[in-house]
Amino acid sequence: MIQFTNVFMTYPSGNKALQNINLNINKGEMVYVSGRSGAGKSTLLKLINLIDRHTRGQIIVKGQSLERIKNNRIPIFRRNIGFIFQNHRLLNDRTIFDNVALPLVISGGNHQEVKRRVHAALDKVGLLSKINNCPVELSGGEQQRVGVARAVVHRPAVLLADEPTGNLDPALSWDMMKLFEQFNQVGVTVLIASHELDMIKHMNKRIIILDGGRILDVGDNNKNYINH
Amino acid sequence: MNQFIKTWLTQHAQAFFFSLGQYAKNPVNNILTTIVIGISLAFPAGFYVFLSNAQIVSSGWDNAVEINIFLETTIDEQQATDFAKQISKRNDIADIILIKKDKALAEYKKLSGFTDVLSVTDENPFPNVVLVKPTYKYFDESKTKRLVEELRAMPEVDNIQYDGKWINRLAKIIDIVKLVIFILSTLLAVAVLLIVGNTIRLSIYSSRNEIEITKLFGGTDSFIQRPFLYSGLWYGIFGGSIAWILVSVSMQMLSGPVNNLSILYASNFQLTGLGLINTLCLFGFAILLGLLGSWIAVKRHLCSIEPN
Ligand SMILES: Nc1ncnc2c1ncn2[C@@H]1O[C@H](COP(=O)(O)OP(=O)(O)OP(=O)(O)O)[C@@H](O)[C@H]1O
Ligand SMILES: [Mg+2]
């Protein structure tokens, strides 16, 4: 589903954020990316979503070679992907319904379908009762779950999350990870960037560890990192 | 219906009402902006109405252009008639009136009462006079000059007088006024563009978060720019309405005094308002400026907002 071959990413400032990345994430897999601050976790996700473009190598997502996608085709490509931010980034002047409906409205879904899917997504994250509230009336954890509902409402093939638990306490973080697991169980490929290694170690999923822009270790064995 | 067209229509309807909603969300700012746009548009529209009225008035005067040809006193009435016939063939002459010397004398006697003085001598001191009306409608100095030169060169002609000078001056003044109005209107149109452009620019930057998120979830540029273009449309429509109201109210206020004045001059002139065609032009122009202003803002600023 996601394949990196000898990928390099150098920012215009000259910062070598990723170097010689090779990795393969299968369809329906759930993978964590970890590493210390500045290791290149966010950069890796941003390349998959075409927020930034890699400078060398090849990335294939859902059968498409990213370097071949022209700028004006990026919007269509991104409709395959759900994205979750650390700080949820909801639109504060819209209701929860409107926030979650956004990806469907963008791709032009009909009204009945939008309504049905928004209800289903909010039900899944347990926030159906807040559908007519505004984001400011929700707690931080609830807002983050709305962000998850928005990311899955259009049934993307790939779900990317950059530090989705960054602002949550440990119990809520755990719930959040379990929520991702549920989406993964219905076939969504999930890639989560998180520095909370202690927690993700217990999720029994593959962990990719980045250090200084290189993959340090791939596998559920992360001794290298811990001893580092 | 075709799904594609359906989606397209739905999205336009959404942007249409969404932008109207945005307008209502920030009423004070938007109303102030709209009033400024309205006033800026009202000036050119008012100038235009003023000009077309001035032209109606002065075209009445233009038709009064008249060239008086005084023939040599040696020319008798038969020769004068022949002369009049000859020049009436020219295609720059519309109308000719021949005032024969006897008639001129009789009229003079009647008007002045100097019957005796003139009857001392048998000779009629008056020349035959031919009054000529040129064919062209508006006073044209070069054409009139050429006509007068050519007539003056004819042997029968003694002297020529015409009263075109002050009309000519008026025409020149109107030309200058037109130019000034054109420059002012252009500047005001640019001002409207800048006002709309700047307002849309501010609203683009205040929607930064929303634009970034929309881009991240696959919103195309046309999807994102649509509500902003519709905002420009609303500024055009509402600004145009305010301009129309301002001009109409001013015309209403002026029509009474102008009518009184034209009665004093025994004229049946009446102020002409915007009328249907000009009203449509005003709105068309206002909408065009609104759309253009927002389009420029969108093209310049939307692409600078990318998710990060
Ligand atoms: N837009 C950018 N321009 C230039 N350099 C950047 C940019 N974004 C990130 N970098 C650099 O690239 C490197 C990797 O950054 P990245 O954000 O991917 O790290 P990260 O692993 O997500 O860190 P954190 O855990 O703090 O979020 C860092 O050295 C960073 O300074
Ligand atoms: Mg990061």
Side-chain angles (χ1 to χ4, degrees):
Chain A
M1 181 59 87
I2 301 171
Q3 195 177 2
F4 279 56
T5 313
N6 303 326
V7 172
F8 288 74
M9 173 60 190
T10 309
Y11 280 106
S13 60
N15 210 329
K16 291 181 175 151
L18 291 177
Q19 299 184 61
N20 200 25
I21 301 294
N22 286 286
L23 74 94
N24 193 0
I25 296 169
N26 294 321
K27 187 168 191 293
E29 209 182 342
M30 178 156 168
V31 177
Y32 287 95
V33 183
S34 196
R36 52 179 70 155
S37 181
K41 305 181 291 291
S42 298
T43 303
L44 188 87
L45 297 194
K46 284 196 256 177
L47 294 186
I48 295 169
N49 207 8
L50 282 170
I51 293 173
D52 283 315
R53 283 187 182 266
H54 56 288
T55 40
R56 253 173 72 192
Q58 189 187 42
I59 303 177
I60 295 175
V61 176
K62 227 190 150 204
Q64 295 187 72
S65 218
L66 296 198
E67 48 285 7
R68 296 233 190 90
I69 295 180
K70 294 204 186 96
N71 283 345
N72 61 355
R73 301 298 300 171
I74 290 178
I76 305 298
F77 168 77
R78 281 186 183 150
R79 292 178 191 176
N80 296 309
I81 295 173
F83 203 90
I84 293 153
F85 307 87
Q86 173 171 358
N87 52 351
H88 51 76
R89 298 189 69 174
L90 301 177
L91 304 176
N92 286 322
D93 58 344
R94 312 280 180 86
T95 62
I96 299 306
F97 178 90
D98 287 338
N99 269 282
V100 175
L102 187 72
L104 298 173
V105 171
I106 288 170
S107 51
N110 85 41
H111 189 66
Q112 286 308 315
E113 180 76 357
V114 171
K115 220 169 140 180
R116 200 180 56 72
R117 288 221 203 165
V118 170
H119 276 86
L122 280 172
D123 192 29
K124 196 93 190 154
V125 300
L127 285 174
L128 198 48
S129 60
K130 307 278 186 183
I131 192 160
N132 291 318
N133 290 67
C134 276
V136 287
E137 296 163 341
L138 272 61
S139 74
E142 287 169 336
Q143 291 184 19
Q144 190 63 304
R145 266 145 64 201
V146 173
V148 174
R150 179 178 63 186
V152 298
V153 74
H154 56 307
R155 297 196 188 137
V158 177
L159 196 55
L160 303 177
D162 194 359
E163 308 283 2
T165 60
N167 292 337
L168 304 180
D169 66 40
L172 280 175
S173 298
W174 183 260
D175 291 347
M176 181 63 66
M177 294 304 183
K178 284 290 166 195
L179 187 59
F180 286 127
E181 218 173 82
Q182 285 180 29
F183 288 113
N184 174 243
Q185 275 158 11
V186 295
V188 183
T189 307
V190 184
L191 184 57
I192 301 168
S194 173
H195 60 270
E196 291 178 78
L197 195 59
D198 288 335
M199 176 178 59
I200 61 181
K201 271 193 301 196
H202 295 104
M203 301 299 298
N204 290 323
K205 301 286 178 195
R206 175 147 70 110
I207 302 174
I208 296 166
I209 293 172
L210 287 173
D211 191 36
R214 292 177 188 274
I215 292 181
L216 198 62
D217 188 16
V218 182
D220 37 25
N221 159 359
N222 42 53
K223 290 196 178 75
N224 285 343
Y225 180 82
I226 293 161
N227 298 338
H228 199 69
Chain B
M1 210 191 326
N2 182 320
Q3 183 58 39
F4 181 77
I5 296 174
K6 216 169 170 181
T7 303
W8 187 83
L9 281 177
T10 310
Q11 292 195 336
H12 270 273
Q14 274 164 352
F16 185 82
F17 290 111
F18 178 76
S19 56
L20 193 59
Q22 291 296 100
Y23 193 95
K25 233 176 207 175
N26 199 349
V28 177
N29 267 340
N30 281 321
I31 287 171
L32 286 178
T33 306
T34 310
I35 289 174
V36 174
I37 294 170
I39 292 173
S40 309
L41 290 170
F43 273 101
F47 289 152
Y48 182 83
V49 170
F50 167 77
L51 260 189
S52 40
N53 279 295
Q55 237 149 21
I56 292 170
V57 171
S58 65
S59 71
W61 297 331
D62 282 346
N63 288 334
V65 179
E66 214 171 53
I67 299 168
N68 300 341
I69 308 172
F70 299 90
L71 300 181
E72 295 283 356
T73 43
T74 54
I75 301 286
D76 65 26
E77 295 193 349
Q78 184 53 47
Q79 286 168 312
T81 311
D82 292 344
F83 172 80
K85 262 187 193 152
Q86 186 194 339
I87 62 168
S88 70
K89 285 179 192 140
R90 293 180 62 109
N91 56 11
D92 50 358
I93 289 178
D95 203 9
I96 273 182
I97 302 170
L98 172 63
I99 302 173
K100 292 175 179 167
K101 50 164 68 175
D102 284 356
K103 194 169 172 235
L105 180 65
E107 208 142 282
Y108 180 77
K109 278 180 179 169
K110 201 168 85 192
L111 285 173
S112 66
F114 287 146
T115 347
D116 305 336
V117 183
L118 286 163
S119 48
V120 170
T121 158
D122 261 354
E123 203 128 310
N124 181 350
F126 286 93
N128 291 298
V129 177
V130 181
L131 306 183
V132 166
K133 263 195 180 175
T135 35
Y136 35 87
K137 199 157 174 216
Y138 298 106
F139 183 81
D140 181 322
E141 191 178 28
S142 63
K143 278 186 188 164
T144 308
K145 264 204 173 130
R146 192 167 350 111
L147 176 61
V148 167
E149 293 303 299
E150 285 171 20
L151 290 173
R152 208 192 291 281
M154 298 175 79
E156 295 91 339
V157 175
D158 175 35
N159 193 19
I160 291 182
Q161 280 179 2
Y162 65 98
D163 57 355
K165 281 217 168 84
W166 67 275
I167 293 173
N168 187 28
R169 265 181 221 143
L170 182 71
K172 290 246 159 80
I173 290 170
I174 288 183
D175 279 348
I176 293 172
V177 171
K178 265 188 199 164
L179 187 66
V180 170
I181 286 175
F182 175 76
I183 292 170
L184 279 178
S185 303
T186 309
L187 289 177
L188 287 167
V190 171
V192 170
L193 272 186
L194 293 177
I195 294 164
V196 174
N198 191 49
T199 310
I200 301 288
R201 182 181 69 88
L202 292 177
S203 92
I204 287 174
Y205 280 104
S206 70
S207 324
R208 200 188 179 103
N209 185 36
E210 184 175 346
I211 292 171
E212 286 185 12
I213 289 167
T214 306
K215 284 194 175 180
L216 263 183
F217 282 101
T220 56
D221 284 351
S222 56
F223 177 86
I224 294 168
Q225 72 193 26
R226 215 170 280 141
F228 296 106
L229 294 181
Y230 273 111
S231 300
L233 176 81
W234 288 120
Y235 283 123
I237 291 174
F238 293 144
S241 307
I242 287 181
W244 186 85
I245 291 168
L246 288 176
V247 173
S248 302
V249 168
S250 311
M251 298 295 296
Q252 201 57 45
M253 284 163 65
L254 279 172
S255 71
V258 169
N259 280 350
N260 291 341
L261 189 69
S262 77
I263 288 168
L264 285 182
Y265 278 85
S267 153
N268 55 5
F269 171 76
Q270 281 198 325
L271 268 186
T272 311
L274 272 170
L276 180 66
I277 301 288
N278 290 328
T279 300
L280 290 179
C281 284
L282 170 63
F283 276 96
F285 199 59
I287 288 171
L288 192 76
L289 285 177
L291 284 177
L292 192 63
S294 55
W295 186 80
I296 292 170
V298 160
K299 285 295 156 206
R300 284 201 49 190
H301 302 289
L302 213 52
C303 57
S304 72
I305 298 178
E306 280 297 331
N308 202 325

